[in-house]
């Protein structure tokens, strides 16, 4: 009797977001992997409320960093993507790295162009300490890489202490705020809802998100919008349907998703065949589904 009352009370107080989550999960109730923990909807809502709280504006380089061009940032992020892959760090570590890089540059006084690589690799050092577990090896390797990068930009005397100093500067500048909801967090939620976790579809969506990391203009889009657009494109490219409930689940409107999708398609087309762009080469490997070689056919007006 008490359990029945509890159940009825719970149903009566469900939010629209929770109802949407329940409808989505009912579509896939036959698949055990798609069974949602009861708190997953609340986590998604929390991410949606917080996603723009710390995100730098898309034009921050122009306003705050006169010595650093968007192309320099693009090259650096692609290099960080390569370092991230070599060290076999978790996927989220790359997104935290770029978040810290942008947050630092947005809040700090103008940084000399020759120090940009040191800022980037130290951001990855911090991200590795924050996201990785079980070993100090990634952090030690990152320190060695940081010294190598510093030598490459003319800081031959760079030591571990210089890296630690930069680490302290980054932490104080960003107020010790090391992370915010990333597109990857929303992607995992949508991949779960669509039952495409660990499949070529999710790989393609993640590739599109990593492409977007290097493009400063994509900071204009909410992380949730980037994720919805990426999984929307990936589902169509792999012959699977997009359900309207997916966008509603994370609070993304159709028009915003389509606008973002057009930007992602443009990035994908520019990157195809560019072997100087590591992210394209990385996702061309068979173990990652060779997804960067997929020709994305623009669905529903995305072109």
């Amino acid at each position: 009797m008490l359990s029945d009352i509890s159940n009825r009370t719970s149903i009566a107080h469900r939010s629209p977001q929770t109802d949407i989550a329940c409808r989505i999960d009912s579509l896939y109730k036959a698949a055990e992997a798609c069974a949602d923990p009861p708190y997953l909807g609340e986590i998604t809502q929390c991410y949606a409320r917080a996603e723009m709280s710390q995100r730098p504006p898309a034009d921050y380089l122009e306003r705050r960093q006169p010595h650093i061009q968007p192309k320099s940032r693009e090259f650096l992020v692609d290099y960080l993507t390569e370092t991230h892959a070599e060290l076999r760090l978790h996927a989220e570590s790359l997104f935290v790295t770029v978040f810290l890089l942008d947050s630092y540059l947005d809040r700090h006084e103008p940084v000399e162009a020759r120090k940009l690589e040191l800022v980037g690799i130290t951001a990855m050092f911090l991200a590795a300490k924050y996201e990785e577990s079980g070993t100090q090896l990634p952090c030690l390797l990152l320190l060695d890489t940081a010294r190598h990068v510093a030598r490459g930009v003319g800081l031959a005397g760079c030591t571990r202490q210089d890296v630690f100093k930069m680490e302290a500067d980054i932490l104080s500048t960003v107020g010790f705020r090391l992370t915010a909801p990333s597109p990857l967090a929303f992607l995992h939620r949508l991949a779960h809802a669509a039952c495409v976790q660990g499949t070529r579809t999710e790989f393609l969506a993640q590739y599109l998100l990593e492409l977007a990391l290097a493009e400063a203009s994509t900071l204009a889009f909410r992380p949730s919008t980037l994720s919805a657009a990426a999984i929307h494109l990936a589902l169509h490219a792999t012959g699977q349907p997009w359900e309207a409930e997916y966008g509603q689940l994370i609070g993304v409107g159709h028009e915003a998703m389509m606008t973002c999708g057009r930007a992602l398609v443009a990035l994908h087309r520019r990157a195809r065949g560019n072997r100087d762009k590591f992210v394209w080469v990385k996702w061309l490997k068979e173990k990652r589904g060779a997804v960067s070689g997929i020709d994305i056919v623009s669905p529903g007006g995305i072109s």
Side-chain angles (χ1 to χ4, degrees), residues 28 31 33-34 186-206 227 230-232 234-236 238-242 246:
Y28 303 101
C34 290
F186 292 101
L187 174 62
H188 291 331
R189 179 67 179 108
L190 292 173
H192 180 93
C195 285
V196 295
Q197 291 171 300
T199 68
R200 202 165 181 238
T201 301
E202 186 178 25
F203 289 166
L204 176 56
Q206 187 172 332
S227 299
I231 198 73
H232 178 235
L235 285 168
H236 277 276
T238 55
Q240 299 176 77
W242 164 265
Y246 298 159

Side-chain angles (χ1 to χ4, degrees), residues 43-223:
I43 292 175
T44 304
Q45 291 176 43
C46 181
Y47 283 164
R49 289 192 297 269
E51 62 178 324
M52 293 301 289
S53 62
Q54 300 291 320
R55 193 167 175 83
D59 63 347
Y60 83 84
L61 283 178
E62 180 183 345
R63 294 187 301 101
R64 300 285 295 168
Q65 297 296 336
H67 307 307
I68 298 172
Q69 299 300 315
K71 203 68 178 177
S72 299
R73 178 191 177 279
E74 179 183 344
F75 288 147
L76 174 62
V77 172
D78 197 57
Y79 167 77
L80 292 172
T81 302
E82 182 175 4
T83 303
H84 171 270
E86 290 176 353
L87 296 176
R88 300 181 181 181
L89 302 180
H90 294 147
E92 189 64 39
S93 294
L94 179 60
F95 287 80
V96 173
T97 296
V98 179
F99 169 76
L100 288 173
L101 170 69
D102 288 331
S103 296
Y104 175 79
L105 294 177
D106 179 44
R107 299 180 182 194
H108 202 272
E109 61 188 24
V111 174
E112 296 178 38
R114 69 190 186 94
K115 292 186 177 180
L116 180 61
E117 288 89 344
L118 182 58
V119 174
I121 206 66
T122 306
M124 181 165 282
F125 173 47
L126 269 168
K129 292 206 291 185
Y130 184 76
E131 288 289 339
E132 308 297 323
S133 61
T135 178
Q136 286 298 312
L137 182 58
C139 298
L140 294 175
L141 290 176
L142 278 167
L143 281 174
D144 290 338
T145 304
R147 292 204 306 278
H148 172 73
V149 170
R151 286 195 296 271
V153 295
L155 301 177
C158 179
T159 66
R160 290 193 177 196
Q161 291 305 314
D162 294 314
V163 177
F164 294 147
K165 183 178 179 180
M166 178 60 72
E167 178 187 21
D169 192 20
I170 291 175
L171 287 172
S172 63
T173 299
V174 303
F176 287 81
R177 183 68 177 263
L178 295 185
T179 187
S182 75
L184 202 61
F186 292 101
L187 174 62
H188 291 331
R189 179 67 179 108
L190 292 173
H192 180 93
C195 285
V196 295
Q197 291 171 300
T199 68
R200 202 165 181 238
T201 301
E202 186 178 25
F203 289 166
L204 176 56
Q206 187 172 332
Y207 162 66
L208 292 172
L209 293 181
E210 289 190 14
L211 267 182
L213 276 180
E215 182 61 45
S217 64
T218 62
L219 286 167
F221 299 111
R222 300 172 71 94

Side-chain angles (χ1 to χ4, degrees), residues 260-278:
C260 183
R262 284 189 283 271
L264 292 181
V265 168
L267 290 177
H268 173 65
R269 289 176 177 170
R270 286 208 307 268
R272 285 195 69 184
N274 184 359
R275 292 193 172 274
D276 291 331
K277 198 169 186 65
F278 176 79

